[in-house]
């Protein structure tokens, strides 16, 4: 067995006139996959096809803006409050998943109000089905970026990451960490498991007939995993070290708790209520039909 794995992958797929990074590619593949899954769900239930493209726009904008503002407000407001012009510079890094989720929740409220005219849970129970794969791909992008990894470990799957990535990309010699927990992989596997569960609930069990059950399962699976993995993950900001010492949690765990509680509440609520019978015509609604 290996004592550790030395991870030497470059964040760049291609570096030239235009730089293409694994992180951006993973993001793009994730959104494409999400679009395809939701497209099939809406066709399966006879929703208008135009709803899919509109949802796609709402979610992309909300994810990027919410994730960026989440990082700015939750993790590094001390810096950005003095450098407001740096807030839009997402290419320099700094996205927070909790902020992305909050952004998506706001966008789904707007989408439900102005597009579907249906309850928010109707959209949530469908849009979250592919999100586990999207989240897993983003974590693999983090793996290629040599970021968001865990503390030292003597387990045989520990990874040695390059800790001087900016200099390494400019031809400097790589400087490696001690073997660390590859928490990007831990989270990615947990998110894929959540995806498998909610796919099964939707396509095999028709649990969308219990409003909120799929959404609640997703929230519990994603943020429950995030809460647990944080115990072996390095903090993202130095001030979180003191936070851990004081309350035993970091910011990622603290922000996960409301989502976990919401997930449990939605599951209990859905299971206590009768099913809502739905029809499955297997084709998009005719939007021209009056």
């Amino acid at each position: 067995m290996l004592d550790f794995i030395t991870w030497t992958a470059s964040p760049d797929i291609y570096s030239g006139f235009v730089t293409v990074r694994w992180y951006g590619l993973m993001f793009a593949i994730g959104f494409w996959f999400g679009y395809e899954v939701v497209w099939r769900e809406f066709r399966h239930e006879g929703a208008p096809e135009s709803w899919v493209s509109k949802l796609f726009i709402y979610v992309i904008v909300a994810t990027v803006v919410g994730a960026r503002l989440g990082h700015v407000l939750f993790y590094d407001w001390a810096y950005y409050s003095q450098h407001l012009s740096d807030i839009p510079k997402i290419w320099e890094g700094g996205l927070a998943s909790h902020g992305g989720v909050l952004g998506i929740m706001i966008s789904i409220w707007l989408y439900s109000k102005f597009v579907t005219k249906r309850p928010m849970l109707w959209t949530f129970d469908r849009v979250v089905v592919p999100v586990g794969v999207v989240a897993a791909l983003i974590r693999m992008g983090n793996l290629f970026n040599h970021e968001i990894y865990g503390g030292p470990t003597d387990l045989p799957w520990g990874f040695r990451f390059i800790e001087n990535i900016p200099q390494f990309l400019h031809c400097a010699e790589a400087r490696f960490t001690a073997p660390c927990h590859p928490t990007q992989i831990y989270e990615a596997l947990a998110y894929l498991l959540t995806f498998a569960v909610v796919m099964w609930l939707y396509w095999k069990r028709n649990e969308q007939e219990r409003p909120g059950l799929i959404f609640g399962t997703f929230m519990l699976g994603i943020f429950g995993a995030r809460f647990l993995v944080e115990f072996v993950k390095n903090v993202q900001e130095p001030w979180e070290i003191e936070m851990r010492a004081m309350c035993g949690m970091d910011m990622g765990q603290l922000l996960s708790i409301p989502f976990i509680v919401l997930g449990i509440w939605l599951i209990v609520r859905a299971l206590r209520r009768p099913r809502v019978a739905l029809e499955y015509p297997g084709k998009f609604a005719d939007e021209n039909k009056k």
Side-chain angles (χ1 to χ4, degrees):
M1 297 182 67
L2 296 174
D3 291 327
F4 53 80
I5 298 166
T6 299
W7 183 246
T8 59
S10 172
D12 296 344
I13 301 173
Y14 171 78
S15 181
F17 178 72
V18 176
T19 299
V20 180
R21 289 200 157 194
W22 285 105
Y23 186 87
L25 178 63
M26 295 296 179
F27 229 106
I29 292 174
F31 276 113
W32 168 80
F33 178 81
Y35 183 93
E36 290 295 319
V37 171
V38 173
W39 187 89
R40 284 166 173 75
E41 291 173 341
F42 279 30
R43 183 183 64 177
H44 176 59
E45 297 191 43
E49 186 174 6
S50 64
W51 286 6
V52 185
S53 57
K54 291 176 182 177
L55 177 62
F56 187 66
I57 295 171
Y58 273 80
V59 169
I60 285 184
V61 173
T63 300
V64 175
V65 174
R68 181 57 173 172
L69 292 179
H71 173 77
V72 169
L73 298 174
F74 299 148
Y75 289 97
D76 209 3
W77 179 241
Y79 171 81
Y80 286 104
S81 63
Q82 304 301 316
H83 302 84
L84 296 177
S85 62
D86 288 347
I87 293 177
K89 297 178 181 179
I90 60 173
W91 56 89
E92 294 182 354
L95 299 174
S97 58
H98 297 90
V101 172
L102 287 173
I104 291 173
M105 294 176 77
I106 293 171
S107 75
I108 295 302
W109 175 74
L110 294 170
Y111 175 79
S112 301
K113 181 178 179 64
F114 295 109
V115 179
T116 68
K117 315 294 186 190
R118 295 188 180 187
M120 290 175 63
L121 282 181
W122 184 91
T123 306
F124 277 128
D125 280 337
R126 289 146 184 86
V127 77
V128 300
V129 171
V131 172
V133 170
V134 181
L137 287 169
I138 291 172
R139 281 294 176 253
M140 296 311 294
N142 295 136
L143 180 69
F144 279 98
N145 280 349
H146 297 252
E147 61 187 4
I148 314 184
Y149 48 83
T153 179
D154 57 3
L155 293 170
W157 55 80
F159 273 52
R160 294 174 68 224
F161 293 99
I162 300 174
E163 60 182 0
N164 61 329
I165 278 292
Q167 295 77 20
F168 173 74
L169 293 176
H170 288 87
C171 302
E173 184 177 353
R175 185 173 68 247
F176 291 96
T177 66
C180 299
H181 285 284
T183 50
Q184 312 97 322
I185 297 177
Y186 298 170
E187 287 190 57
L189 291 174
Y191 298 161
L192 290 175
L193 176 60
T194 301
F195 164 73
V197 171
V198 295
M199 278 285 282
W200 176 73
L201 290 174
Y202 182 90
W203 290 105
K204 297 298 183 182
R205 300 286 299 176
N206 289 337
E207 295 297 351
Q208 60 273 28
E209 296 178 352
R210 294 185 185 275
L213 180 60
I214 294 176
F215 182 41
T217 301
F218 167 83
M219 297 294 273
L220 181 59
I222 294 293
F223 290 101
R226 174 70 185 271
F227 185 89
L228 294 175
V229 172
E230 288 288 324
F231 282 113
V232 296
K233 187 191 292 185
N234 287 329
V235 297
Q236 295 189 46
E237 299 294 336
W239 55 264
E240 290 183 274
I241 297 174
E242 184 178 352
M243 181 179 179
R244 275 186 175 176
M246 291 178 60
C247 63
M249 295 187 295
D250 60 24
M251 180 59 78
Q253 290 173 305
L254 184 64
L255 293 173
S256 294
I257 291 174
F259 295 115
I260 294 171
V261 172
L262 175 62
I264 294 172
W265 178 77
L266 286 168
I267 292 171
V268 172
R269 175 181 178 271
L271 292 175
R272 286 181 173 178
R273 298 188 176 192
R275 284 180 175 271
V276 177
L278 301 175
E279 295 183 359
Y280 302 102
K283 61 181 180 180
F284 287 115
D286 184 357
E287 296 182 75
N288 297 317
K289 187 177 180 180
K290 296 183 179 180

